[in-house]
Amino acid sequence: MDKLTLIQSVAVLMELAAPLVVGALAGPMFKRFMFRKLRSRLGPWVEDLVNSPANRLSSLFFVAVMLGLAVFCHPSNVTEALAWLQAHPGLLPVQPTPFLLRVVFHGAAFSCAYNLAALPLAQSSREDGEAGRAG
């Protein structure tokens, strides 16, 4: 494998993995830093709302929808996706292009990783201890 092919392969891999990595880093950072500020301003009832089973189920549904959209708009499926979208012209308000599908792929991949990383889970015993000391 020559250097040019290797560089192109790494560039394609980074283009595909970058939204996933950024989303996977941004989700826990929001949960760790911003959610604490929101909880302190809005009260503990927000945490009960966020950790409710209905919110978990809707978050998992949203992740599944975003994952499906990311697979549909993946660069390896561009020709099939464009053909399907052009066969259904009233579906989108804009003309689909390969660039638009790439942007949608990046947004869906970021959103999927972000929501998976920030998925609301039940409190751990460590967080219960911190909440007991703070209250």
Side-chain angles (χ1 to χ4, degrees):
M1 183 182 284
D2 61 347
K3 283 187 176 185
L4 181 61
T5 307
L6 180 65
I7 290 172
Q8 288 174 341
S9 300
V10 170
V12 167
L13 182 66
M14 291 303 295
E15 180 183 4
L16 298 176
L20 293 171
V21 171
V22 171
L25 291 174
M29 289 178 65
F30 171 80
K31 194 171 182 180
R32 181 172 181 140
F33 298 111
M34 293 306 297
F35 186 65
R36 286 184 183 174
K37 288 183 180 184
L38 286 172
R39 188 175 53 195
S40 67
R41 288 185 183 202
L42 297 176
W45 66 272
V46 158
E47 190 163 353
D48 295 335
L49 182 67
V50 168
N51 290 327
S52 70
N55 191 29
R56 285 187 211 139
L57 185 62
S58 65
S59 294
L60 287 175
F61 175 75
F62 185 72
V63 166
V65 168
M66 287 294 116
L67 187 59
L69 188 60
V71 169
F72 180 75
C73 295
H74 189 269
S76 66
N77 299 332
V78 167
T79 55
E80 293 88 359
L82 282 174
W84 188 84
L85 287 171
Q86 289 172 353
H88 300 87
L91 200 60
L92 293 177
V94 296
Q95 179 68 27
T97 63
F99 178 74
L100 178 66
L101 290 179
R102 178 179 281 179
V103 169
V104 170
F105 166 75
H106 287 301
F110 171 83
S111 179
C112 185
Y114 178 87
N115 285 315
L116 272 178
L119 191 66
L121 300 173
Q123 277 189 336
S124 66
S125 59
R126 179 176 165 233
E127 289 174 347
D128 287 337
E130 289 175 2
R133 280 184 265 144

